[in-house]
Amino acid sequence: MDIKIRQLEHRYMPGSPYERLALKDISLDISEGTFLALIGHTGSGKSTLIQHLNGLLKPSSGSIAMGDTAWAAGDKKMDMKPLRKKVGIVFQYPEHQLFEETVEKDIMFGPMNFGESETEAKERAKEMISLVGLPEEVSDKSPFDLSGGQMRRVAIAGVLAMKPDVLILDEPTAGLDPSGRNEIMELFYNLHHDRKLTTILVTHSMEDAAKYADEIVVMHQGKVFMKGVPAEIFQQEEKLKQASLDVPETVEFLHKWQAASGERHELSEFTVASLAKALASEWKGGVS
Amino acid sequence: MSEILKVNDVSFKYPAETELALKNVTLSCMKGEWLSVTGHNGSGKSTLAKLLNGLLLPDSGNVEVEGLFTTNMDELWEIRRRVGVVFQNPDNQFVGTSVRDDIAFGLENFGVPRDEMIRRIDESVKHVGMEQYLDQEPHLLSGGQKQRVAIAGILAQAPSIIILDEATSMLDPMGRKEVLETVRTLNKEKGITVISITHDLEEALHSDRVLVMNKGRVSALGAPSDIFSNTSLILDAGLDTPFSVKLSQKLREEGVPLTRDYLTQEELVKALWTLKSGS
Ligand SMILES: Nc1ncnc2c1ncn2[C@@H]1O[C@H](COP(=O)(O)OP(=O)(O)OP(=O)(O)O)[C@@H](O)[C@H]1O
Ligand SMILES: Nc1ncnc2c1ncn2[C@@H]1O[C@H](COP(=O)(O)OP(=O)(O)O)[C@@H](O)[C@H]1O
Ligand SMILES: [Mg+2]
Ligand SMILES: [Mg+2]
């Protein structure tokens, strides 16, 4: 589904001494099938923005359309359930998302809540547990007796079990071990393509943003500060610095190399492999 | 350097489980060192942290902190004061309605007299650069600020060891740098021993020693350069090789005549420059 956000504004605790304008004048189009990375320092409004996309937060002004479902500030209470079936969110803090007695029941909850049979839900739970790299035995454990990284995998499994069309991931790999991080990101990426999802990834990893995203949106002080394809975004190091962000490690390395050697290279892809190719050309007498 | 902490052949099982979470873990930690602890999810890192400050007790073996044992009930409280833990989620660790109250609450638990308490609160918030925020509500701080307040709360206990259990994993890169700088200063200037549980390889690279946990066991303990150049150990433990090692390997594949893998960007730039100016 296409996502349309128009002049969205969000105020927390309006009218109280703690009132805070967390989002200002956000207008954004995300077309179906896009893999979008949302980056920005803490407090820039990323989590506030994504919580609007399944109606967990209501706009203070402005409007949102998710496919055929549209709503605006001041609208009467809407039934968000049909939308929540299609929009899966993995929240920033997984323990806030878990609540059942066992891991299996926790993963089954979503599908059953949206009308799947118990047999089907059980089936999916089993499939998802292995998909996110958890050992089978955890299915009867309490999700609260798991390690931090295991809890996060359960939260991810629960969202994937609903087979959403739109997948929203709020820093989904924080707390995962490095190989788990790579595996889970590959899993999201493959699901994105195989199931033709629309994916929004909130991340602090510039490497992941560069590697997986079709488009990047940079948030700063509650506004959309930059928007573009990875190559455009990571060419503007100065502007990123204003938003307290870094460039990917590959770009950082190129800058160090340039400072030492005077050699310049442009990267179209930000992988280690393409960086190695670019640098190696100096040894083959290509570029230098 | 003297040993500040000794873990002697510790095994531990959570009551309802069948598998041991820790199996025959033995290690020691030097006073003033920065020890990184890493390993796959569920490898036992947080369990180890909880055993180190006596939140959990070993089923066999023992944990000794500056001559005190967590298994001696009358020494347990003193161990909890000396070993402070900062947890991952900045939102779940505050009880007070202001930064000041929050730190005071922790100190009351340790029976610190009022005058002394005020002095320690002032000193500890200064150490982490949060003196402007004493009257703020903790929930309104940024993630990095919350973690610095949590560290101040622990500092005020005058601990000998600070354990960070993924204390920066929820922070943005800036917040992460800030918090680590703060702890690094305490480590250097006050000689506080730091045990940092982390999945961040770059952070582990910059510590004195690295402990790798694998399925409840100690799989390796040594200098970062030894640990991270052992690719099979690293991959087997669910970790990943650092950026500069990967780049060194790819460069060789592309025909750049590097003779070994380099751990940091600085070392690799230097090595490449030496190659280039020599050729
Ligand atoms: N309260 C508990 N009750 C039962 N089992 C537990 C409990 N907490 C942890 N475990 C189990 O003990 C093992 C070690 O968990 P621990 O939390 O120490 O891992 P960790 O290395 O900190 O992992 P992570 O990197 O995910 O934080 C895991 O198998 C976990 O499922
Ligand atoms: N529940 C809340 N109540 C009040 N203010 C909040 C709440 N959640 C977030 N904020 C504030 O809104 C702003 C944006 O926060 P958030 O969306 O969480 O940012 P990010 O996800 O980019 O770190 C921040 O100033 C934050 O302090
Ligand atoms: Mg957030
Ligand atoms: Mg842990």
Side-chain angles (χ1 to χ4, degrees):
Chain A
M1 61 180 81
D2 291 335
I3 302 174
K4 264 199 180 67
I5 303 171
R6 289 292 174 273
Q7 278 111 42
L8 177 65
E9 183 181 292
H10 187 82
R11 270 170 216 280
Y12 282 109
M13 299 182 272
S16 84
Y18 297 115
E19 175 169 323
R20 185 167 298 222
L21 185 56
L23 295 178
K24 302 165 209 172
D25 194 25
I26 306 262
S27 293
L28 212 51
D29 285 288
I30 305 166
S31 28
E32 181 168 312
T34 305
F35 197 120
L36 182 93
L38 194 56
I39 61 179
H41 60 88
T42 349
S44 59
K46 306 178 297 294
S47 297
T48 306
L49 176 59
I50 59 166
Q51 288 175 70
H52 278 81
L53 300 183
N54 74 350
L56 278 175
L57 292 176
K58 300 268 176 287
S60 305
S61 73
S63 65
I64 296 169
M66 302 282 291
D68 301 335
T69 317
W71 64 100
D75 280 1
K76 284 200 304 288
K77 235 178 150 34
M78 276 180 41
D79 178 16
M80 287 289 175
K81 198 166 171 184
L83 186 67
R84 287 192 187 146
K85 181 177 175 173
K86 294 186 192 147
V87 180
I89 304 189
V90 176
F91 290 101
Q92 189 165 5
Y93 299 106
E95 60 273 27
H96 295 179
Q97 199 157 4
L98 306 172
F99 59 96
E100 288 279 2
E101 293 152 46
T102 69
V103 167
E104 182 185 48
K105 283 188 187 162
D106 212 296
I107 301 173
M108 286 167 65
F109 176 83
M112 284 179 71
N113 189 33
F114 291 111
E116 297 296 343
S117 70
E118 193 174 340
T119 331
E120 169 67 16
K122 245 196 169 72
E123 195 63 34
R124 287 198 197 173
K126 193 163 176 224
E127 182 193 346
M128 294 306 151
I129 284 174
S130 92
L131 207 57
V132 299
L134 284 168
E136 238 179 82
E137 311 87 78
V138 301
S139 66
D140 297 326
K141 275 184 97 162
S142 157
F144 301 99
D145 286 351
L146 297 178
S147 77
Q150 291 167 334
M151 269 191 220
R152 180 163 287 271
R153 289 173 201 246
V154 174
I156 291 170
V159 170
L160 295 182
M162 307 208 308
K163 308 207 164 156
D165 298 334
V166 179
L167 190 54
I168 300 179
L169 309 161
D170 198 348
E171 297 176 34
T173 59
L176 293 188
D177 53 58
S179 73
R181 201 174 303 169
N182 294 337
E183 280 162 29
I184 295 275
M185 281 311 304
E186 289 295 321
L187 169 66
F188 290 142
Y189 193 66
N190 291 336
L191 287 174
H192 174 83
H193 283 286
D194 297 348
R195 298 196 188 158
K196 306 203 165 32
L197 306 180
T198 306
T199 304
I200 301 177
L201 170 72
V202 177
T203 183
H204 288 313
S205 162
M206 300 303 131
E207 289 72 35
D208 285 347
K211 185 166 172 194
Y212 297 109
D214 305 316
E215 264 182 71
I216 296 179
V217 166
V218 181
M219 302 275 298
H220 183 45
Q221 297 175 343
K223 291 189 176 154
V224 172
F225 184 65
M226 297 165 85
K227 184 173 188 285
V229 299
E232 285 166 354
I233 299 290
F234 294 123
Q235 267 161 19
Q236 305 176 59
E237 190 172 0
E238 281 312 309
K239 202 160 176 202
L240 281 171
K241 286 238 167 77
Q242 288 172 34
S244 314
L245 295 175
D246 284 329
V247 289
E249 280 175 314
T250 45
V251 177
E252 191 191 334
F253 188 88
L254 267 188
H255 290 168
K256 286 188 183 147
W257 178 239
Q258 191 184 329
S261 70
E263 299 281 354
R264 292 181 76 93
H265 300 275
E266 294 277 328
L267 290 181
S268 53
E269 263 188 85
F270 299 93
T271 58
V272 173
S274 59
L275 171 61
K277 270 210 173 65
L279 291 170
S281 66
E282 291 182 33
W283 269 262
K284 291 169 186 155
V287 164
S288 63
Chain B
M1 274 205 273
S2 58
E3 285 177 349
I4 189 167
L5 172 100
K6 281 196 260 185
V7 177
N8 302 311
D9 200 23
V10 162
S11 295
F12 175 82
K13 185 175 81 58
Y14 287 97
E17 305 302 316
T18 47
E19 275 272 314
L20 289 171
L22 292 179
K23 297 166 197 155
N24 304 99
V25 171
T26 296
L27 61 107
S28 61
C29 187
M30 298 295 156
K31 191 169 165 43
E33 90 168 317
W34 183 300
L35 175 71
S36 289
V37 180
T38 188
H40 65 84
N41 292 133
S43 59
K45 305 178 297 294
S46 298
T47 305
L48 177 63
K50 288 177 196 147
L51 278 144
L52 295 184
N53 86 338
L55 277 175
L56 296 174
L57 298 175
D59 294 327
S60 64
N62 61 46
V63 175
E64 181 182 347
V65 179
E66 300 185 306
L68 307 174
F69 289 86
T70 60
T71 32
N72 287 351
M73 283 313 277
D74 46 347
E75 294 173 354
L76 187 56
W77 204 243
E78 179 57 18
I79 288 187
R80 291 211 182 136
R81 184 191 66 72
R82 292 195 198 182
V83 183
V85 187
V86 183
F87 292 100
Q88 170 177 26
N89 186 341
D91 281 320
N92 285 349
Q93 49 195 338
F94 297 108
V95 285
T97 51
S98 71
V99 167
R100 187 193 315 274
D101 286 355
D102 194 80
I103 301 178
F105 181 79
L107 293 181
E108 275 166 15
N109 277 339
F110 290 109
V112 177
R114 202 177 151 70
D115 287 357
E116 170 70 7
M117 199 149 97
I118 294 170
R119 196 187 60 73
R120 288 208 202 168
I121 292 174
D122 286 343
E123 200 199 19
S124 64
V125 291
K126 260 204 207 98
H127 264 296
V128 301
M130 290 296 290
E131 60 271 34
Q132 315 289 340
Y133 295 86
L134 274 171
D135 298 310
Q136 267 267 21
E137 205 182 313
H139 291 279
L140 298 177
L141 299 171
S142 79
Q145 291 170 336
K146 283 175 187 163
Q147 290 304 54
R148 283 191 284 159
V149 169
I151 292 167
I154 281 171
L155 262 190
Q157 298 172 27
S160 334
I161 302 177
I162 291 186
I163 301 181
L164 306 172
D165 189 354
E166 296 191 45
T168 62
S169 72
M170 288 293 175
L171 303 181
D172 59 310
M174 288 284 179
R176 182 172 299 186
K177 271 183 205 150
E178 258 176 44
V179 170
L180 288 176
E181 276 310 309
T182 304
V183 181
R184 210 165 284 286
T185 310
L186 295 167
N187 173 248
K188 289 262 159 2
E189 290 178 1
K190 301 191 106 187
I192 295 180
T193 306
V194 177
I195 300 179
S196 179
I197 299 175
T198 183
H199 293 298
D200 182 349
L201 301 175
E202 300 299 320
E203 187 199 326
L205 272 179
H206 290 97
S207 49
D208 296 318
R209 287 193 304 161
V210 180
L211 168 69
V212 181
M213 296 293 297
N214 192 350
K215 302 198 185 86
R217 294 182 192 275
V218 172
S219 114
L221 174 58
S225 52
D226 294 334
I227 302 277
F228 287 108
S229 51
N230 189 341
T231 307
S232 63
L233 169 91
I234 291 299
L235 297 182
D236 190 47
L239 306 175
D240 198 359
T241 44
F243 170 80
S244 301
V245 171
K246 278 206 192 95
L247 183 55
S248 306
Q249 292 168 352
K250 283 269 183 254
L251 282 167
R252 263 202 311 276
E253 281 172 30
E254 293 291 333
V256 179
L258 285 171
T259 48
R260 63 176 183 96
D261 297 340
Y262 294 86
L263 287 181
T264 65
Q265 295 197 8
E266 285 70 22
E267 286 170 355
L268 181 53
V269 165
K270 215 164 162 193
L272 285 173
W273 179 239
T274 312
L275 266 186
K276 195 159 169 103
S277 37
S279 64

